[in-house]
Amino acid sequence: MNLSFRQRLNISRFAIHHPWLTINFWIAVSVAGLLAFSSLKYALFPDVTFPVIIIRASGNFETVVETEANLTNPIEQSILTLDSIETVSSSTFPNQTVITSIFFAGDSLDNTKQTVEQILETVTLPPYSELEILPYNLNESSAISYVLTSDNLTVEEIANIATEKVIPSLESIEGILKVNVLGLETPDKKDIYPSLIRFNGKEGLGIQIIKRGDGNTLEVVRDVEIAITKLTPSLADSDIQVNIAQTEATYIKEATQATIDTLVLAIILAIVIIFPFLGDIKATLITALAIPISLLGTFIVMAIGNFNLESITLLALALVIGIVVDDAIVDVENIMRHIEAGDSPKQAAIKGSDEIGLTTSASTLTIVAVFLPVALTTGNVGQFFKPFGLTVSAAVIISLLVARTLSPVLAMLWLRKKTGETGRQEDRKTRREGRFIFNLQSMGDRVVEKYRNLLIWSLSHRKIVLLIALISFVVGIALIPLIPQGFIPQLDRGEFNVIYTSDLPQIPRGWNVNQNQEKETSVTDNSSFSWLGEVSQNPEGFLLRRSRRVGDNIEASILEILDVESTFNIVGFRGQPNKGKIYVKLRKDRILTTAQVQNKIRENLPAVKGVNISVEDIKFVDTGDEKPFSFALQGENLTSLFETASKVKASLDSLSGLTDLTISPALPENIDNIPTIEHFNGVRSITFSANMAEGYVLGDLTAEVVNTISPLLPSDVNISLGGDYGRMKEVARQFTIIFILSIVFMLSLLWALFGSLLEPLVVGFTLPLSIVGAMVALLITQSDFGMISLIGVIFLLGLLDKNALLLIDYAKQQRKKGMVREDAIVLTGMTRLRPILMTTFSTILGMLPIALGWGVGAELRQPMAVAIIGGLITSTLLSLIIVPVFYSSIEDFWLKILNKKLDN
């Protein structure tokens, strides 16, 4: 028998002829998937290495300008030549400079350090200059911190006991890089900075467990908790209480469990919606099996790729629930239709899979074509979404294989035509078992008839329909400026930080704190500087105690709020004695949201002169303590730069959208006395950073700030937008490239599979139909149009082309049988309406639990689901009418061009 091209490509034929081989293969995949799932680890975000290299250099220079010219500039310029560099920032002081280089994620820290060492060997520095290279991996973060307190022992006595009993037990645990002891004014270890620790207002000793970059937080915390539990009785005998001060593990567990719960609910809803359409329990079961088997196969790919079960990959799995069942729905529905028409189950399986195989394969592969560019994005954001793109691609490919092999085999073995008494018994059984489900049969007939009438009208009024399509696209684009422009949604984590920084005391000119002697000072009243003697003896200790007094006042005001469960205060944060961080944990049964508590804290904070206080969210990714809103003034003329910064600062005081404004370096009272010069990417800069007040979104606030300060900028000073807005611009740039690549890949694949331009052109023209629904949904829910919702919009590209291909391909098949085009289109619409509605409803219901925003971390998932649901509703409704109109219009246009060529 001669097989057509379509039949030769149909792998279902092989599966149908070898049913038990097919079934055993998928049983093996399922077992392997269960084993792979058990090996996957839970985490908050993908395991990505963020190499950071800090360079400290010093020399014999008297002024900050001389230090900048001789140390900072030559080092910076050499680092900036590296291709792997993302940003370089520096702070230059008299005789010293600190340069922080952040590299693109992906390369190892050792390789990055080696690259920096090699490039610095080519730099010529003045004699007697000293250079220190400090590698830092942002993944090497604190997994859990404890505070040991006592009613009778001093901190030093607690430290002696902890050093003997606690630290050795913890340092031997797998996955731990080091254990830091915090709270000692004069620590023993060189790499531990002086600090003071308080927990809930009580002095104590901090034990901070730092995990390795490749260590798993949950595993490290589990092992640490076991060790601490064993040590607690002996510590209690020594009158030492052990308090958990801070840990990432709690939020990771809650966020991942919430996503898994949402995933399970999505699976149930996606399955429940299938039965009313198919009206057959066996057919529903065949279709439903595609979901768990596809997920188990995806777990194998995740294990091979060394991915974790974290926010990004779980988001990908939740996203594809409605899709992995789509191909099985279409296949099983088509086979059922042939069985009802009188074919045997095997004939129906072969005919149905022949008929639908190329369409489902093409539509599913285009989803892969859409998401592979997501996996190929560069930069630190791209590294985060590489697991996302690969997980989605793996899931849809495996679901296609399930639908093309297992589903037709099970349909052949389980489905039978209902005839005579058997059919009546089956019908009664179906009605009994499906009594609780809404019966769509009679309604479905009416819907099909109304759709048929509307389709016939649309084909005879094509200009009106095309105008509606154009208007919907224009409306969708016009709505974009009205939607909140964000980067990553603010999470209601129930925890945050309060950072406080005291101004360094102004030491009189000529005073040498190291030698405790005065030289050429104009100070006449030495009593005004009575603290100078204390500074000279122990400058770090003096600043620590000064900062502790500030921190005590702030901590006391925080603990007055009823929703606060605990505070963990580190004085001397990150080795800076004038800086402190208070980690605030809120109660589970809190009344207020995290943002509302933050606002209340800002209102209650004591006014302390010379202290900058910032209430900050815990970041999506820890890249330091940078606030979400940030911009820099840049220019080479220091006088102009600092004078402009003073004017800008005054103008920003009137903006209610900014809170906790910080300026770095601090603006001097006298422009001739600049102690610090900062650079960003090699240019002199003054950075303004702030948190955003509740109710403000990033895009709108940035526009307001730029409009306010632009008139104040002279010609030699420029503004550079950074923070989350800078990241958002970079994401938008990359996603624009992804969009273009996705469309090109998709249309090229369709051209290759169908061998004509008609299908790609129709799909290309229908892609914008999803925009209006996505934008309306985001606008109604006031969800941010940012990185997460952009993924939803990209995802719609793959979903929309599936509907278009289902319609176009079947119409072409009917026309090959001799049917007139318009009749073929109408028949196609009536035949494909049910599978299109089924796949749409299953995807929408699969997204619904995510869109409703249930569970911890829901703010991260919600915008994507909202965009998908809104886009699906409008794109499905529009595509059922506009795709057939596009199909006929483009074909007529194509024929008109060919006829003109023939006439000429």
Side-chain angles (χ1 to χ4, degrees), residues 161-172:
I161 296 173
T163 303
E164 180 182 337
K165 294 183 177 180
V166 180
I167 307 303
S169 299
L170 298 179
E171 287 179 330
S172 62

Side-chain angles (χ1 to χ4, degrees), residues 40-41 301-303 305-310 313 386-387 390-391:
L40 297 177
K41 299 177 181 179
V301 177
M302 291 175 65
N306 200 28
F307 298 160
N308 295 322
L309 286 169
E310 33 75 16
T313 51
K386 180 179 180 179
L390 292 178
T391 300

Side-chain angles (χ1 to χ4, degrees), residues 66-185:
E66 287 180 336
T67 308
E68 177 193 41
N70 289 280
L71 287 181
T72 307
N73 288 345
I75 294 174
E76 265 187 351
Q77 295 307 315
S78 66
I79 297 295
L80 284 168
T81 61
L82 297 174
D83 295 334
S84 55
I85 196 73
E86 185 176 39
T87 62
V88 177
S89 57
S90 66
S91 296
T92 305
F93 314 95
N95 202 38
Q96 186 180 15
T97 185
V98 179
I99 300 170
T100 302
S101 308
I102 300 178
F103 291 79
F104 288 117
D107 201 0
S108 70
L109 192 60
D110 290 339
N111 288 345
T112 305
K113 181 187 176 185
Q114 187 176 2
T115 301
V116 170
E117 288 173 341
Q118 290 173 352
I119 196 70
L120 289 181
E121 288 176 0
T122 64
V123 179
T124 302
L125 297 177
Y128 309 109
S129 298
E130 295 184 1
L131 199 65
E132 184 181 12
I133 300 174
L134 305 172
Y136 178 57
N137 184 354
L138 291 175
N139 261 359
E140 294 172 354
S141 57
S142 172
I144 188 169
S145 297
Y146 292 89
V147 174
L148 307 184
T149 58
S150 175
D151 295 327
N152 302 308
L153 303 178
T154 65
V155 173
E156 287 73 19
E157 290 171 331
I158 296 174
N160 290 333
I161 296 173
T163 303
E164 180 182 337
K165 294 183 177 180
V166 180
I167 307 303
S169 299
L170 298 179
E171 287 179 330
S172 62
I173 293 174
E174 180 70 23
I176 290 181
L177 179 70
K178 58 182 177 180
V179 179
N180 292 336
V181 177
L182 309 176
L184 296 174
E185 198 171 311

